[in-house]
Amino acid sequence: MSYEVVRTTGDSEWFTNDRFGLFIHWGLYSLGARHEWLQSRERMSPEAYSKYFKRFEPDLYDPELWAKLASDAGMKYFVVTTKHHEGFCLWDSKLTDYKATNTPAGRDLLRPMVDAFRHRNMKVGFYHSLIDWHHPHYTVDPKHPLRFEPNFIAESAQRDFSLYREYLFGQTKELLTEFGKVDMMFYDFSFPAENDLPGKGKADWGSEELVRMIRGLQSHILLNDRLQIGGDITTPEQYIPSKWVQVGGKRVVWETCHTFSGSWGYHREEDTWKSVDVLVKMLIDVVSKGGNLLLNVGPTGRGEFDERAIDRLKGIGEWMKRHSRSIYGCTQAPESFECPPDCRLTYNEQTNRMYLHVYSWPFKNIHLRGFAGKVEYAQLLNDASEIRFKEGFVSSGIEEGAFREGRDDTTLTLSLPVKQPNVAVPVIELFLK
Ligand code: GLC
């Protein structure tokens, strides 16, 4: 019954089983607290931006607590910004001074994070920015903070980008040799020319060779698709695709990443926080189309998760505690089962169970076309209470044939309680024959 999905080079088995991960954007921009792109948006010089480097002191940083919050929310892996576009490194890289050890933090912040998440059996992913606004040989482009500075553009012409490429390779090597098994690398990103300034892509990064090196170091690793040469995982950002993501007409392994609100880095004033209900529905939606959800937290400059993020994580965890069975190991339902209005289906091939997620609780009945004769038992997932059902055409008792309500012989009709169970999204577990 399963779908044919383009095979990945790296190991994606854990990934398509786990479905739900935590993205972490943490760096100097956390102090600016107004978006991780602030250096570029405000066209700040390295000197001006250095005020954050001097003040980065996450005294409340507690990676064990971070890992616990993520794990309790039902997340199974994490992906952290080892370096974002600003160029600042969370680990003690031998190849730069622009790193956490040289800030008031005075220590490697990545290692304890990796240890803490691994301790909770979570897989390890590194986001690594291809873009770098600090390196002395990174050249001007349409994203660069100094893109409008004639002096910088002139200076940039003297830069030797191959030295930056070496740095990218060198740092990748550090990340893949000094932290044990890394399950995923998330490179970010390639982009086209704009306003007479050249873009950057595979030739600049040396993508083909970079991937060869990575595979030589850790062959199982899952790679995202932003190096401009394809990848194991396709990564739509900040939207939910309308169906299973395809590349070249074929279904692929995919993951969509999202913020809780409009910024990846900690943003004090941004206020479009999604509700727990919306977030739970996003997760369900994604799994019902065969994908993964990577949900982002931007910790504060003191090293804590934003209290609004904690609130959402706990809410998701409440739901996951009773409903994760409809997420882990699940994927899109086979097409012979029709999804009724206001619902989402997920399916676990191993256990042969179908999960009906009810977004809008109806009055008493849900009619499931294509399900008659296929279901052995049904229950609400939150409390394992039986849901009784009838199959095929059910007479209304008034006038034969007058009131079929669209039911045909393939229809299975669930008899629901009038009152909705007190959970974000109720799920009915259908044990298939
Ligand atoms: C975009 C942004 C970046 C963020 C990323 C997450 O590429 O540039 O700030 O890290 O999306 O996927």
Side-chain angles (χ1 to χ4, degrees):
M1 277 229 241
S2 71
Y3 294 100
E4 217 191 309
V5 180
V6 173
R7 276 177 62 103
T8 55
T9 309
D11 171 18
S12 58
E13 212 180 303
W14 66 269
F15 186 76
T16 51
N17 181 74
D18 291 355
R19 292 301 185 203
F20 190 27
L22 176 72
F23 216 172
I24 302 175
H25 276 67
W26 198 34
L28 302 181
Y29 46 79
S30 311
L31 293 181
R34 56 183 187 275
H35 204 276
E36 76 285 355
W37 273 68
L38 77 104
Q39 188 184 353
S40 173
R41 287 182 174 182
E42 299 172 23
R43 300 184 217 152
M44 271 165 117
S45 67
E47 296 71 44
Y49 199 71
S50 69
K51 65 181 167 188
Y52 301 130
F53 185 75
K54 286 189 206 123
R55 303 281 173 240
F56 191 63
E57 189 174 11
D59 57 329
L60 300 177
Y61 176 42
D62 181 352
E64 281 81 25
L65 178 61
W66 289 16
K68 182 177 183 333
L69 287 164
S71 173
D72 288 352
M75 291 159 161
K76 294 283 196 186
Y77 60 101
F78 84 114
V79 181
V80 61
T81 51
T82 49
K83 177 192 88 165
H84 202 260
H85 308 335
E86 63 181 5
F88 175 72
C89 300
L90 287 183
W91 85 103
D92 190 12
S93 172
K94 313 287 172 297
L95 304 173
T96 183
D97 294 331
Y98 205 47
K99 56 185 175 182
T101 45
N102 293 334
T103 64
R107 62 197 193 282
D108 183 326
L109 298 171
L110 181 62
R111 194 168 299 274
M113 202 187 305
V114 170
D115 291 344
F117 280 83
R118 269 210 196 108
H119 190 68
R120 299 231 167 225
N121 280 327
M122 294 175 76
K123 296 277 194 299
V124 177
F126 290 155
Y127 166 108
H128 196 71
S129 177
L130 298 163
I131 297 169
D132 193 311
W133 299 326
H134 184 81
H135 193 275
H137 286 286
Y138 188 90
T139 51
V140 71
D141 61 41
K143 311 288 176 199
H144 200 283
L146 304 182
R147 61 195 171 279
F148 297 116
E149 297 290 331
N151 290 345
F152 180 71
I153 297 173
E155 191 230 291
S156 197
Q158 308 306 315
R159 292 185 168 199
D160 180 357
F161 195 77
S162 73
L163 294 178
Y164 173 70
R165 192 160 45 242
E166 257 175 46
Y167 177 69
L168 172 65
F169 276 58
Q171 289 208 318
T172 294
K173 198 164 182 182
E174 284 187 351
L175 291 170
L176 297 186
T177 52
E178 294 173 16
F179 294 88
K181 186 177 178 196
V182 177
D183 303 281
M184 185 205 293
M185 282 301 286
F186 193 118
Y187 285 97
D188 197 35
F189 59 76
S190 306
F191 50 93
E194 222 179 292
N195 302 330
D196 292 334
L197 289 173
K200 286 193 171 75
K202 58 183 171 188
D204 304 286
W205 318 128
S207 298
E208 306 271 359
E209 206 187 324
L210 183 65
V211 169
R212 263 197 301 280
M213 182 186 85
I214 294 169
R215 294 267 176 243
L217 294 169
Q218 302 212 25
S219 58
H220 60 270
I221 218 158
L222 272 184
L223 285 172
N224 76 335
D225 60 340
R226 298 185 183 183
L227 281 162
Q228 224 180 40
I229 52 167
D232 294 321
I233 329 168
T234 304
T235 57
E237 179 176 315
Q238 297 284 42
Y239 74 96
I240 305 279
S242 58
K243 57 176 193 204
W244 195 315
V245 175
Q246 302 193 352
V247 174
K250 295 201 170 120
R251 287 186 165 139
V252 292
V253 173
W254 65 277
E255 170 189 71
T256 181
C257 50
H258 286 262
T259 53
F260 282 115
S261 74
S263 169
W264 299 90
Y266 173 64
H267 196 310
R268 185 180 57 207
E269 282 142 48
E270 212 286 337
D271 209 21
T272 59
W273 284 73
K274 298 169 189 77
S275 66
V276 170
D277 279 22
V278 166
L279 293 160
V280 165
K281 285 177 179 167
M282 283 164 60
L283 176 60
I284 296 164
D285 258 23
V286 164
V287 177
S288 78
K289 295 164 188 170
N292 281 36
L293 179 66
L294 186 64
L295 206 49
N296 178 75
V297 169
T300 68
R302 294 200 63 187
E304 289 190 292
F305 280 8
D306 188 314
E307 62 181 10
R308 297 163 290 187
I310 294 177
D311 172 71
R312 303 312 190 274
L313 287 171
K314 289 196 166 149
I316 297 169
E318 262 307 294
W319 186 83
M320 282 294 275
K321 178 176 164 189
R322 297 179 189 84
H323 300 91
S324 63
R325 233 145 77 190
S326 77
I327 301 294
Y328 303 144
C330 289
T331 188
Q332 182 168 315
E335 261 124 39
S336 54
F337 296 91
E338 205 178 291
C339 187
D342 294 335
C343 294
R344 298 291 184 278
L345 290 173
T346 65
Y347 172 64
N348 185 320
E349 201 197 356
Q350 239 86 56
T351 60
N352 197 26
R353 294 183 195 178
M354 184 76 76
Y355 295 94
L356 178 71
H357 303 78
V358 186
Y359 279 16
S360 161
W361 195 249
F363 175 62
K364 266 189 175 159
N365 293 132
I366 292 182
H367 306 295
L368 298 170
R369 279 158 68 99
F371 283 70
K374 295 184 183 161
V375 177
E376 199 173 280
Y377 185 76
Q379 64 181 10
L380 270 169
L381 192 49
N382 60 295
D383 64 355
S385 60
E386 182 183 9
I387 293 293
R388 290 186 288 174
F389 56 84
K390 291 174 178 154
E391 292 173 277
F393 168 67
V394 184
S395 166
S396 63
I398 304 172
E399 191 186 330
E400 186 66 17
F403 247 2
R404 292 179 75 106
E405 294 172 356
R407 281 178 252 170
D408 59 20
D409 291 340
T410 77
T411 303
L412 180 147
T413 298
L414 300 174
S415 309
L416 303 178
V418 169
K419 205 165 164 328
Q420 174 181 329
N422 185 23
V423 296
V425 177
V427 180
I428 293 145
E429 185 175 40
L430 302 163
F431 297 71
L432 301 186
K433 285 181 186 161

